[in-house]
Amino acid sequence: MSADTAHRRRAFLADTTALILFFTTTGALNERYIAGMTWDQVLHARLLGAALMIPVARPYGIWRDYVMRRASESRLSQLLWDSAALVSFQVPIYAAIIAFSGASGPGLWLGVLSATVMMLVLGRPYGAFLNAVRRLFGLPPGGAKPMSLDT
């Protein structure tokens, strides 16, 4: 296996691990206590969510790296750009997941609205978590160099 292939594989595994760990936990809390879904619906949503996170985790990581290149070194800039990256990529996916899993009417809208607020708040913590997981996999943090499919 070439070094490039190994790097891409580690990047895929790091981004997927981070997304599944972080958002399985936060998604379950939102679905149960904000959207009012039953535990069975939460389980279904989290299983579906995990299955969908596998193909979208690395594209999100690449998207985040691209968006974060616009951020300055200031904490406020990092917070705003990380949050913008997360909301713009993940909220539409999350809305589809909970709708498919049984949320409807006001519960669906409340779930999407609360997920939007949650992702605005969690954008930077998730970005920091993602960078920490990437370090564990021997990868640099994202956003510091031009976007490419193998970063």
Side-chain angles (χ1 to χ4, degrees):
M1 172 180 350
S2 73
D4 188 48
T5 301
H7 176 81
R8 281 186 291 187
R9 183 173 287 161
R10 278 196 330 270
F12 172 82
L13 290 171
D15 288 4
T16 302
T17 298
L19 196 70
I20 288 174
L21 289 176
F22 195 91
F23 285 106
T24 294
T25 304
T26 57
L29 293 172
N30 179 61
E31 290 150 8
R32 179 66 181 136
Y33 298 109
I34 305 297
M37 295 168 69
T38 67
W39 284 115
D40 284 344
Q41 290 173 323
V42 170
L43 176 62
H44 186 261
R46 292 300 87 224
L47 290 173
L48 178 60
L52 290 174
M53 284 184 227
I54 293 168
V56 302
R58 185 62 188 139
Y60 173 71
I62 293 168
W63 171 249
R64 179 189 173 265
D65 293 350
Y66 173 75
V67 170
M68 289 302 291
R69 287 195 343 228
R70 288 153 178 74
S72 71
E73 293 298 316
S74 80
R75 287 180 188 230
L76 181 59
S77 179
Q78 298 280 318
L79 176 117
L80 292 174
W81 285 108
D82 242 340
S83 294
L86 190 62
V87 168
S88 65
F89 193 95
Q90 297 292 355
V91 169
I93 294 169
Y94 183 76
I97 289 169
I98 66 170
F100 187 76
S101 297
S104 61
L108 173 64
W109 289 109
L110 204 64
V112 171
L113 179 61
S114 67
T116 302
V117 170
M118 183 172 67
M119 289 185 196
L120 282 170
V121 170
L122 293 176
R124 186 62 191 146
Y126 176 67
F129 180 74
L130 175 59
N131 285 340
V133 171
R134 285 175 170 175
R135 276 191 300 278
L136 289 173
F137 279 80
L139 300 167
K145 54 187 170 185
M147 181 180 106
S148 71
L149 293 177
D150 61 356
T151 58

